[in-house]
């Protein structure tokens, strides 16, 4: 069937998972916010036959919708990319567009090996580090387990429901950062000190805060109409937590309008983990 | 200082988090496995002054190392991209390379708004769905909480330590998929049936398995020299689990040589969640 003038179909084609092409397509298409894009990911296209079947699918789509779809490709094999590129589409060849520049810069030919980017054999150290970090962050979520905190790369602190858990998991999953998190509670504010458990790790602490109004919304989803979720409680806890973090010289940021990607990037920047080896 | 012939410095420059550019650089550089790349991510470059300071840093690097670095950029503003592009480097302009093709295909100009791709205001429905999915997957990790399983998009089943937890979290975080997971244990194998809790959700089940030798390795890291980690125990559990999954017609795959990205992509493919709206 044909689409409305603001709808467009997008194919994301890859010899591997397609996650790179999908991330990129999402990023660049966010510059065309007046459109609605339906993205169809077609991963693991690693033979000529599969490429031909994708080209046929793209052609059918173009005919049915009366307009050629956008196609983001990270196909490494030039023959497969060529097959897709000949279909009735706007072909955006992420790999082909850059690999020759890089070959020239490095003075070698690329290996053109299909399906490399997210393949992680069990021998892959970086991959094992990520899994280990995920297990660490899960075990050290919400202060539930305090043994091994000395192995943490960072310990996120803040009031309940300010975003510590998703941020810890993202840091672990994406960056193999061992991120623990530990709540700051009314008990701590009464004593006006950090929890004793955290004192030996003061240099690893990073604070998250949040606007009290937003916090009340989030807590109300969890425990509707509770004292815990009341605006007055949230106002007090946030004020106390921010005062404590300032007093203790803990770097912190507000999560209110930030995605977990943005929060994580700022934390990595702050704790000096902005370099990676490929 | 100068680098060895196989070392190269890579800058990843973005007006937002740099995660898109980093994912892409990692993917394309995996085709040059004979080199060692050190990637330096420079996020939130959103003014001319910051762009000029990055260009100066790139020039210093080129001089110190005796060779120009690779620079992957997703800078949206053409003036900022131009400033970096003039530095002494191999400039790979991800945004600039494609935006004109897309503008032509869509018949409009892009909004050229800086910092859009990972910015997620709290009003963003897709973003809130991701956070909700993360909370769901955490609450339904390892069968610890069975209320609400009817809301799951998928329930991963398999023996202890076969990769259920990291896969569930990845599906939630990256794709807003509510992924629960539930262990298959020797008790289930003795009864030779699925756990009763899972029977109403048979159509949501997806199995993970693993080579017994690899499973023994993973379990030994957790509980060295235990019966739980012994090869004979792992051989039995894996054989029993695979037999049960075959008998119950549960789709399943082996995680042994696959990354969580690859496992997740196969699951999405299988359960028909390969379409997304941007």
């Amino acid at each position: 069937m044909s689409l409305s003038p603001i709808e467009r179909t997008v194919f994301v084609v890859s010899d591997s998972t397609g996650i790179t092409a999908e991330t990129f397509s999402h990023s660049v298409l966010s510059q065309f916010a007046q459109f609605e894009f339906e993205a169809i990911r077609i991963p693991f296209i690693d033979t000529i036959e599969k490429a031909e079947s994708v080209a046929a699918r793209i052609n059918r789509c173009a005919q049915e919708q009366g307009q050629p779809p956008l196609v983001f490709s990270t196909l490494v094999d030039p023959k497969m990319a060529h097959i897709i590129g000949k279909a009735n589409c706007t072909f955006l060849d992420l790999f082909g567009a850059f690999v020759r520049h890089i070959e020239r810069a490095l003075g070698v030919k690329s290996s053109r090996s299909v399906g490399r980017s997210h393949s992680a054999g069990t021998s892959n150290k970086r991959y094992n580090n990520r899994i280990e970090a995920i297990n660490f962050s899960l075990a050290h979520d919400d202060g539930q387990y305090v043994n091994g905190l000395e192995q943490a790369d960072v310990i996120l602190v803040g009031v309940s429901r300010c975003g510590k858990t998703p941020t810890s998991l993202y840091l672990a999953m994406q960056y193999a950062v061992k991120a623990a998190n530990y709540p700051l509670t009314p008990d701590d504010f009464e004593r006006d000190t950090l929890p004793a458990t955290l004192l030996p790790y003061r240099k690893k602490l990073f604070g998250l805060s949040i606007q009290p109004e937003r916090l009340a919304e989030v807590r109300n989803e969890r425990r509707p109409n509770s004292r815990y979720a009341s605006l007055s409680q949230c106002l007090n806890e946030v004020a106390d937590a921010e005062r404590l973090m300032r007093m203790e010289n803990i770097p912190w940021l507000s999560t209110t309008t930030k995605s977990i990607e943005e929060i994580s990037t700022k934390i990595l920047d702050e704790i000096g983990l902005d370099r990676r080896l490929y």
Side-chain angles (χ1 to χ4, degrees), chain A:
Chain A
M1 76 232 108
S2 69
L3 301 178
S4 89
I6 58 155
E7 288 175 312
R8 286 291 186 287
T9 297
V10 174
F11 286 91
V12 170
V13 185
S14 170
D15 48 55
S16 175
T17 63
I19 291 171
T20 300
E22 188 175 52
T23 305
F24 180 75
S25 68
H26 186 249
S27 174
V28 67
L29 293 177
S30 70
Q31 295 294 325
F32 299 90
Q34 68 270 53
F35 284 86
E36 284 169 18
F37 299 101
E38 185 185 34
I40 302 170
R41 190 156 42 96
I42 312 183
F44 307 121
I45 300 305
D46 49 11
T47 65
I48 295 288
E49 292 67 34
K50 289 185 193 170
E52 279 167 350
S53 131
V54 173
R57 184 170 168 187
I58 290 168
N59 285 333
R60 275 198 309 279
C61 172
Q63 188 160 31
E64 281 167 20
Q65 300 185 341
Q67 65 189 356
L70 295 172
V71 178
F72 291 85
S73 156
T74 47
L75 292 170
V76 167
D77 184 300
K79 286 193 292 293
M80 294 183 209
H82 184 68
I83 289 167
I84 309 289
K86 279 192 308 183
N88 185 8
C89 65
T90 298
F91 184 60
L92 304 156
D93 180 7
L94 273 66
F95 191 80
F98 295 108
V99 76
R100 275 181 298 277
H101 293 293
I102 299 171
E103 286 178 341
R104 208 153 39 224
L106 298 177
V108 297
K109 286 273 171 200
S110 79
S111 59
R112 300 263 174 188
S113 41
V114 162
R116 278 196 74 91
S117 88
H118 282 283
S119 72
T122 49
S123 61
N124 183 323
K125 189 152 179 306
R126 188 175 113 73
Y127 182 72
N128 289 342
N129 288 346
R130 284 174 66 202
I131 299 295
E132 201 185 316
I134 294 170
N135 289 333
F136 181 91
S137 291
L138 269 177
H140 295 86
D141 182 38
D142 204 30
Q144 60 183 300
Y145 189 68
V146 297
N147 287 335
L149 273 185
E150 70 281 359
Q151 290 170 45
D153 295 309
V154 63
I155 304 171
L156 303 182
V157 295
V159 301
S160 166
R161 294 280 115 189
C162 69
K164 300 184 298 298
T165 295
T167 305
S168 306
L169 291 172
Y170 187 83
L171 282 167
M173 192 165 287
Q174 195 77 8
Y175 293 107
V177 167
K178 288 185 176 170
N181 74 79
Y182 204 95
L184 297 180
T185 68
D187 282 353
D188 303 315
F189 307 139
E190 228 159 80
R191 283 195 318 270
D192 214 12
T193 58
L194 288 171
T197 312
L198 296 181
L199 292 177
Y201 312 113
R202 186 182 287 261
K203 291 200 171 150
K204 296 177 189 268
L205 303 186
F206 193 99
L208 300 183
S209 194
I210 185 170
Q211 270 176 11
E213 294 74 14
R214 175 67 189 148
L215 182 60
E217 269 176 43
V218 175
R219 287 184 172 185
N220 257 306
E221 279 166 32
R222 177 152 283 217
R223 292 199 221 148
N225 305 315
S226 61
R227 179 171 148 67
Y228 164 80
S230 68
L231 183 57
S232 64
Q233 179 71 19
C234 293
L235 279 163
N236 285 337
E237 286 192 33
V238 168
D240 286 344
E242 293 186 358
R243 202 173 58 79
L244 186 58
M245 294 189 292
R246 283 200 184 93
M247 198 173 78
E248 299 280 349
N249 257 322
I250 299 169
W252 64 277
L253 58 79
S254 168
T255 64
T256 312
T257 58
K258 293 190 184 69
S259 67
I260 47 179
E261 284 82 358
E262 290 173 309
I263 301 165
S264 299
T265 301
K266 299 236 184 233
I267 294 171
L268 293 176
D269 226 18
E270 192 89 32
I271 63 179
L273 284 174
D274 49 355
R275 283 159 187 256
R276 292 170 86 187
L277 298 176
Y278 292 163

